[in-house]
Amino acid sequence: MQKTFYIETFGCQMNAHDSEKVVGTLLATGYSQVETVEEANYVFYNTCSIRDKAEQKVFHRLDTFKKAAGGGKVFAVLGCVAQQEGEKIFAKAPHVSLVAGSASYTKLPQMLVQLEAGNRRVTGLSFDTDEAFDTPYTRRDNPHRAYLTIIEGCDKSCAYCVVPFTRGPERSRTSQSVLEEGRRLAADGYTEIQLLGQNVNSYRDPSPVGWDFATLLSKVGEIPGMRRVRFTTSHPRDFVKPIIDAIDENPNLCNHVHLPVQSGSTRVLAAMQRLYTRDQYMQRIEWMKNARRPIAITTDIIVGFPGETETDFEDTLKLLDEVRYDSLFAFKYSVRPNTAALTMPGQIPEEEKTRRIQIVLERQRAIQIRLNSDLIGNVEEVLVEGQNKALGQWIGRTSQHRPLNFASQPGESLLGTYLPVRVTRAGPNSLVGERVTPVV
Ligand code: 5AD
Ligand code: SF4
């Protein structure tokens, strides 16, 4: 049988990076990648189960292509839904042949051999496997920015969250292995690294030097050739001042921190088992506001957690006004299997969650319009990441992670370059500017 595969990825950056590892492994095993389900012998869905809607997407996809399974196509479910639902997926979607979680991707070639030998059902669901931090085959999608995993899994137990179940306990990668991969990426021409983990702040080097996250971050920032280092995602409980000091000391560390707060109410934070109070969170915000570099702060908000009263919700709105986030992601609470909040009383009706999220988004939009307008006239360095041909613009990103676009000239090729751009216009979600010729 000809070996072609199609892969679709749902969810977060960890999943996007996992897919890069899976694609690399499959290419190295002799498979070739195709762009449509129709052309493929093997169809992989790398799935997300963070909210119910994300989970439903994969079952919808599987349903759409159910008939195609008759033609000998092999369907595989990878990622968080695979880990969470396990063999139940075979019952829900009988045309699926492979179900594997992220800790099993190093075993993918063996699992494929089993399928090719005629096994109808193959699973990879254990966590006690060799680490999948690094494969010699990772095939990165973006030629300039590289994801680099430093820690897998999560040891927290936030009451709403499936991640500890889908990605297992925390495992940190050795600093030596992180730095080796970082140097290799620099040698391959990457200039931006995004360090990844469910909670990068709890990174602890398993080798005798025992570096913490702030130390690792500084060292990655010193890799010759690396001009931008980002990291995601942070947990306020483990977010310490030395991380800010490291950013202050090295401009290669981007001045952006994503620090998910989830709620502005200490009462709700306690119910969520977030392990910090509103005041403790605000202390971290103070560190950032007092830093020497202007650090952009972004966050995640959940509205409608069980028992969230109008007063709790008001506390979240007040927090938004106080912090003035540069950007945020807001989510309606979604009931997840296995989690502590599953059976909590005081579930909030869907319409009320919708009302609350709309208020959050409106409030935040007004804040972003004001913050972005204040940047007009500034000159920012952008990394050119793409092109919008319809608008005749290059798409760039500032160190603070803001999109800053500027006019393109016919025939020029600026992808991957760093340029100074003066901000001339501001919208709620992006900036427009003009190139500045650097003074020599
Ligand atoms: N419902 C809604 N949002 C959730 N998140 C995680 N679990 C849930 C859930 N059950 C959000 C959190 C997290 C982001 C990645 O997704 O805000 O920070
Ligand atoms: Fe990523 Fe979490 Fe979704 Fe898994 S459940 S893909 S870890 S966001």
Side-chain angles (χ1 to χ4, degrees):
M1 182 161 94
Q2 201 202 343
K3 293 171 159 194
T4 53
F5 73 94
Y6 168 85
I7 185 164
E8 182 175 359
T9 307
F10 303 88
C12 61
Q13 286 129 322
M14 336 285 158
N15 259 19
H17 186 38
D18 282 344
S19 285
E20 293 178 338
K21 295 178 192 174
V22 168
V23 168
T25 305
L26 292 171
L27 293 173
T29 319
Y31 294 76
S32 54
Q33 188 170 9
V34 292
E35 295 300 316
T36 62
V37 172
E38 287 72 20
E39 295 165 85
N41 310 125
Y42 289 83
V43 179
F44 291 88
Y45 293 117
N46 188 5
T47 62
C48 172
S49 64
I50 195 91
R51 285 167 291 274
D52 187 55
K53 240 195 217 159
E55 180 174 341
Q56 292 319 318
K57 267 191 206 155
V58 65
F59 290 107
H60 181 76
R61 281 290 192 288
L62 285 168
D63 207 43
T64 309
F65 293 104
K66 199 159 53 188
K67 287 201 192 76
K73 260 190 223 316
V74 173
F75 284 83
V77 178
L78 307 178
C80 293
V81 177
Q83 194 69 53
Q84 179 189 294
E85 295 298 298
E87 298 187 357
K88 280 188 264 170
I89 292 177
F90 296 134
K92 277 196 198 167
H95 55 299
V96 171
S97 303
L98 171 67
V99 171
S102 59
S104 302
Y105 297 160
T106 43
K107 294 202 191 121
L108 213 51
Q110 292 106 292
M111 292 193 273
L112 291 170
V113 167
Q114 289 177 34
L115 282 177
E116 276 162 20
N119 280 341
R120 188 52 195 93
R121 301 255 139 104
V122 177
T123 56
L125 296 168
S126 71
F127 286 122
D128 56 9
T129 169
D130 295 344
E131 276 317 337
F133 286 130
D134 190 13
T135 84
Y137 313 119
T138 305
R139 183 62 69 105
R140 290 185 164 84
D141 285 341
N142 182 315
H144 313 293
R145 171 191 296 186
Y147 293 131
L148 198 167
T149 312
I150 62 165
I151 178 168
E152 287 274 7
C154 180
D155 281 351
K156 296 280 183 292
S157 38
C158 300
Y160 50 79
C161 190
V162 284
V163 170
F165 307 99
T166 61
R167 289 189 170 263
E170 264 173 26
R171 292 95 71 199
S172 288
R173 176 175 177 178
T174 63
S175 55
Q176 191 195 344
S177 159
V178 170
L179 291 177
E180 273 169 13
E181 190 171 3
R183 287 190 208 107
R184 215 164 44 234
L185 290 167
D188 287 345
Y190 291 93
T191 57
E192 179 170 326
I193 284 186
Q194 181 150 8
L195 302 177
L196 290 184
Q198 291 304 329
N199 176 6
V200 290
N201 311 138
S202 67
Y203 173 83
R204 179 59 70 172
D205 187 352
S207 61
V209 288
W211 287 350
D212 61 8
F213 175 64
T215 310
L216 182 78
L217 182 65
S218 297
K219 300 284 183 189
V220 174
E222 287 164 12
I223 294 175
M226 232 8 111
R227 292 187 60 164
R228 285 188 172 181
V229 180
R230 303 183 183 280
F231 56 91
T232 196
T233 190
S234 288
H235 190 294
R237 163 84 173 213
D238 303 319
F239 190 86
V240 292
K241 176 88 174 9
I243 299 172
I244 305 296
D245 299 338
I247 295 175
D248 261 345
E249 274 153 33
N250 183 350
N252 286 352
L253 304 182
C254 288
N255 47 2
H256 170 216
V257 172
H258 184 66
L259 196 64
V261 66
Q262 315 300 357
S263 168
S265 152
T266 292
R267 209 187 62 77
V268 172
L269 289 172
M272 287 177 165
Q273 297 167 34
R274 286 290 286 176
L275 310 175
Y276 55 85
T277 62
R278 179 198 174 103
D279 286 349
Q280 287 166 333
Y281 182 86
M282 286 309 294
Q283 184 195 28
R284 276 117 184 106
I285 297 294
E286 281 311 301
W287 293 339
M288 289 191 262
K289 301 243 177 202
N290 292 330
R292 291 195 298 280
R293 296 178 65 207
I295 298 180
I297 311 170
T298 57
T299 202
D300 294 341
I301 301 280
I302 296 178
V303 298
F305 186 76
E308 183 188 68
T309 63
E310 194 56 36
T311 316
D312 293 322
F313 178 59
E314 295 278 325
D315 284 346
T316 297
L317 295 178
K318 279 189 228 143
L319 183 100
L320 299 190
D321 288 341
E322 255 177 75
V323 178
R324 294 168 47 108
Y325 288 107
D326 292 85
S327 167
L328 61 72
F329 297 107
F331 307 102
K332 295 192 254 184
Y333 167 71
S334 168
V335 182
R336 305 312 296 131
N338 306 317
T339 59
L342 177 65
T343 51
M344 280 186 186
Q347 300 283 334
I348 310 286
E350 195 56 29
E351 313 80 71
E352 180 56 19
K353 288 186 212 167
T354 305
R355 187 186 74 85
R356 291 183 190 179
I357 200 169
Q358 278 166 354
I359 295 173
V360 164
L361 294 175
E362 266 167 45
R363 184 75 67 108
Q364 180 59 23
R365 187 181 152 88
I367 292 171
Q368 283 179 212
I369 288 174
R370 263 178 283 138
L371 285 179
N372 287 349
S373 306
D374 287 347
L375 296 174
I376 292 176
N378 283 11
V379 175
E380 306 269 348
E381 184 185 66
V382 301
L383 164 59
V384 182
E385 293 189 344
Q387 196 170 16
N388 183 332
K389 291 213 167 109
L391 288 179
Q393 281 181 338
W394 289 108
I395 301 168
R397 231 176 240 282
T398 67
S399 170
Q400 290 194 327
H401 208 239
R402 277 196 171 77
L404 170 51
N405 306 332
F406 59 97
S408 57
Q409 309 297 330
E412 71 184 351
S413 154
L414 299 179
L415 276 182
T417 58
Y418 288 81
L419 295 169
V421 175
R422 178 176 292 106
V423 180
T424 53
R425 278 187 286 140
N429 297 311
S430 64
L431 306 170
V432 178
E434 58 195 17
R435 270 172 78 177
V436 177
T437 318
V439 186
V440 245

